[in-house]
Amino acid sequence: MCGITGFVSRNAVNGEVIKDMTGELYHRGPDAGGTFFRKINNCFCGLGHRRLSIMDLSNNAAQPMFDRTENYILSFNGEIYNYPEIKKDLLTAGYDFKSNSDTEILLYGLIEYGTNLLQRLNGMFAFAFLDVRAGELLIARDRFGQKPLFYGFDECNFFFASELKSLFKHPAVKPEISEESLVRYLCFEYCLAPDSLIKNIRKLEPGNFAVFNFKDEFQFRTEKYWSPDLIPDPCFNNLPEKKITSLILEKLKNSIGKRMMSDVPIGVFLSGGIDSSAIPALLSEITETKKIKTFSLGFKEASFDESSHAKLVAKIFGTDHHHKILKSSDLLDYIPKIIDKLDEPMADSSIIPTYALSEFTRKHVTVALGGDGGDELFAGYDPFLAHFWANKIEFLPDFLLKFFREQANKIPVSDKNMSLDFKIKSFLKGLRYPLLERNQRWMGAFSSDDFRDLFSELFYKKVKNSDVYDSLNFNFALKDDYIARVAEAYQKTYLPDDILVKVDRASMMNSLEVRSPFLDVEFAEFVNKLPSRFKFRMTTRKYILKKALETKLPDSIIYRKKKGFGIPLTQWLREELYSEIKSTFYSSRLANSGIINPRYYKKILNEHLTRKKDNRKPIWTLYILEKWLQKNDIIC
């Protein structure tokens, strides 16, 4: 895992700029760093790299990496798990290599095959590949967006980086808020690709590459090389269920095996949920269990603690288990650290325990396997079940739905993780909307219904007709398959822009590489082609994955109630964090710039303090945004 950055500028740029941009990524690669700076085609070109050494720890794998002619230069972040297979083909084609790294295979693979190589890559990656003679820079990102890549350009500059903070060091970048992206952030709680919260800076979408040509005039184009395909394969209609479960286990085990390639110690994140537990279960069939290091966190608050389940799995497979118990005050101490390092705002509060787990794990290993992607592939999230019931009661007359909402609002607010009152109120507020908008209204802190109260009168007039949900208008062939449609939405939005951003930032803040076996391209494509009845059946989520693991894990793990990586945020906002939140809102940049109605801050804080409403999501979403604006001195 590493950090990459670079630019092409017509204007004169000092060579120190690429060093400064690279320096901002030190946490992503503390083991080594390198830069390239040269004038090419009357343009000043810079490439930077920070290295977290995983494969081939020698200087032969240092980056930016040059071919022997020094015409081609690569800066690469990630891992290519099938690089040995590509290496065999390149050896046959006459290439020879000085290192044992996947970086060198990627470099010469791009020279030999060009962008066609992307279809062959199985891994997580973001890279920049410079062809000096052609005056062309290629940037690309992996299929699910496990590795980040921002970019921007104007008439004189093109620049890119793994994180926004690196771009802020380029003289052409003037950090100014994008009002359209701001509205989307409030409704989604994260920055939705291809936009970022900064004007004129974008995210390269997952499964895309872009080519920037600067030989004569500046020319830029993007192209998609892969997208999730959830149209079911008819072949599964004739396969016995037992055969399908066998294939799932076989492909997942192969994926785990590929991700064990490393020249540094590897461990496993273990929450005790089905996805993370599947990894040591299958890994135990590949290697000695005493060599498997597993890591988990426990919490003193019972409704947030899963440690007993993680300990059970570790005991069953005899792993070298490492466990840490945290209390609220421990987690609170992480918040300023995370905000200080966060390059883009995200209101997923589970980044706090993810950061804590990454910090704890990094003391023992450099690489960890995690269960991310299982919920998106196998329909595991609560809303899949909520849609099932919502479809059953859509016929309810409006007056009856209004009555239910009024009664739900009378239920006392609970501080427990995913409490019953929170679920009921969230469920009712999403009814009567189109499928994917309903899903997002359940997930998001705000909806378009909140705009009039949330925004100032002037800003409201600017955005009141905005369709914040237009990005969910996917052209899905099976309109009546709501499970597949929602799964596709998760794979194209929530997974790359929330879950994988959270995991990438929380782990890289601690210089830890996290790999996701569920997102192996061969495994994911296989699961995506399964008919929805194998993922959601008679209110059972992850049906086929649970059936497959019945021979590997106890029922108490497979069929236990799903619980996210939660924290006592509702309580914190009323007690320990109240003064900090109030002070931040009092000095609000968004209110002072005429975007947010300052009375709205007082309203949501008072409602939360008096337990009239559980406003944890809107308060936290706004707080993270305000702190990010202040920290990075963003113009509103």
Side-chain angles (χ1 to χ4, degrees), residues 43-54:
C43 292
F44 295 86
C45 300
L47 290 179
H49 187 269
R50 288 301 317 182
R51 184 184 182 194
L52 179 63
S53 300
I54 304 293

Side-chain angles (χ1 to χ4, degrees), residues 61-280:
Q63 298 187 54
M65 183 176 282
F66 301 77
D67 78 315
R68 285 172 176 77
T69 68
E70 295 197 357
N71 180 63
Y72 302 101
I73 311 165
L74 175 68
S75 189
F76 160 56
N77 170 27
E79 303 290 346
I80 308 300
Y81 302 117
N82 65 331
Y83 83 91
E85 301 153 37
I86 300 171
K87 184 176 183 178
K88 288 180 182 178
D89 293 341
L90 291 173
L91 286 169
T92 302
Y95 291 91
D96 58 274
F97 306 99
K98 65 178 182 180
S99 76
N100 292 314
S101 70
D102 54 348
T103 304
E104 192 173 17
I105 304 308
L106 179 60
L107 171 65
Y108 285 101
L110 289 167
I111 293 170
E112 178 71 11
Y113 305 114
T115 57
N116 291 330
L117 178 68
L118 294 169
Q119 296 290 348
R120 294 189 61 186
L121 299 180
N122 187 345
M124 55 178 184
F125 55 83
F127 64 77
F129 175 69
L130 178 62
D131 184 333
V132 174
R133 278 196 295 269
E136 192 169 88
L137 181 67
L138 165 71
I139 60 174
R141 196 172 176 207
D142 66 71
R143 291 168 176 82
F144 284 103
Q146 294 178 75
K147 295 295 100 196
L149 193 56
F150 295 87
Y151 72 92
F153 61 90
D154 55 31
E155 63 276 4
C156 294
N157 303 279
F158 177 83
F159 33 77
F160 67 89
S162 298
E163 296 185 12
L164 278 173
K165 288 189 293 185
S166 175
L167 295 183
F168 294 165
K169 291 295 183 179
H170 192 283
V173 177
K174 309 298 180 187
E176 183 177 351
I177 200 78
S178 164
E179 293 180 350
E180 181 181 351
S181 297
L182 182 147
V183 174
R184 288 188 187 276
Y185 163 79
L186 293 174
C187 292
F188 283 77
E189 302 181 26
Y190 52 83
C191 304
L192 196 64
D195 300 317
S196 80
L197 261 180
I198 302 299
K199 278 186 179 178
N200 303 320
I201 294 181
R202 296 168 70 81
K203 298 179 181 182
L204 186 65
E205 292 186 87
N208 276 249
F209 69 85
V211 178
F212 177 69
N213 190 292
F214 57 96
K215 189 165 187 178
D216 298 310
E217 295 184 1
F218 277 12
Q219 296 179 330
F220 179 79
R221 67 181 175 90
T222 61
E223 186 173 324
K224 183 174 286 293
Y225 68 89
W226 187 88
S227 185
D229 179 7
L230 278 78
I231 305 298
D233 191 327
C235 74
F236 291 111
N237 294 328
N238 301 316
L239 276 184
E241 186 177 281
K242 191 173 182 179
K243 177 62 176 177
I244 295 174
T245 59
S246 174
L247 288 170
I248 286 174
L249 294 177
E250 176 188 333
K251 291 180 180 296
L252 184 55
K253 185 162 74 171
N254 287 341
S255 171
I256 293 169
K258 292 174 190 172
R259 281 154 184 77
M260 293 302 290
M261 291 189 302
S262 174
D263 293 328
V264 294
I266 296 183
V268 178
F269 285 165
L270 183 59
S271 69
I274 185 172
D275 299 331
S276 68
S277 299
I279 297 173

Side-chain angles (χ1 to χ4, degrees), residues 3 47 142 189 208 237 270 345 365 432 464 486 500 527 628:
L47 290 179
D142 66 71
E189 302 181 26
N208 276 249
N237 294 328
L270 183 59
V365 299
R432 290 289 192 270
K464 65 179 181 180
V486 174
L500 296 178
V527 175
W628 179 78

Side-chain angles (χ1 to χ4, degrees), residues 435-453:
L435 177 69
L436 297 183
E437 180 177 342
R438 177 173 72 195
N439 193 79
Q440 189 52 47
R441 283 174 177 264
W442 284 338
M443 298 284 290
F446 296 95
S447 73
S448 53
D449 299 339
D450 301 307
F451 288 178
R452 183 177 290 277
D453 292 335

Side-chain angles (χ1 to χ4, degrees), residues 495-547:
L495 176 64
D497 293 324
D498 183 305
I499 297 297
L500 296 178
V501 170
K502 173 189 69 178
V503 173
D504 175 81
R505 301 309 194 274
S507 61
M508 292 313 299
M509 286 175 188
N510 292 285
S511 303
L512 176 75
E513 174 173 295
V514 177
R515 301 174 176 178
S516 304
F518 283 91
L519 297 180
D520 178 88
V521 59
E522 294 176 8
F523 179 77
E525 288 183 339
F526 174 82
V527 175
N528 274 344
K529 301 303 282 185
L530 288 171
S532 291
R533 68 179 183 275
F534 288 109
K535 302 166 187 177
F536 186 93
R537 184 177 298 184
M538 297 296 291
T539 73
T540 298
R541 290 163 284 165
K542 295 185 177 176
Y543 170 80
I544 198 67
L545 179 63
K546 291 176 178 178
K547 296 298 290 185

Side-chain angles (χ1 to χ4, degrees), residues 370-424:
D372 301 296
D375 286 314
E376 291 81 4
L377 292 173
F378 288 100
Y381 288 123
D382 287 345
F384 285 101
L385 180 58
H387 286 299
F388 173 83
W389 293 115
N391 292 337
K392 301 289 185 186
I393 64 171
E394 279 290 350
F395 64 88
L396 286 177
D398 289 342
F399 79 88
L400 198 53
L401 183 57
K402 181 181 178 182
F403 171 77
F404 285 144
R405 285 173 174 158
E406 291 172 349
Q407 296 306 305
N409 287 332
K410 295 177 182 179
I411 302 175
V413 171
S414 170
D415 292 349
K416 290 184 178 181
N417 186 29
M418 296 304 291
S419 60
L420 180 61
D421 77 287
F422 177 80
K423 289 183 176 181
I424 292 174

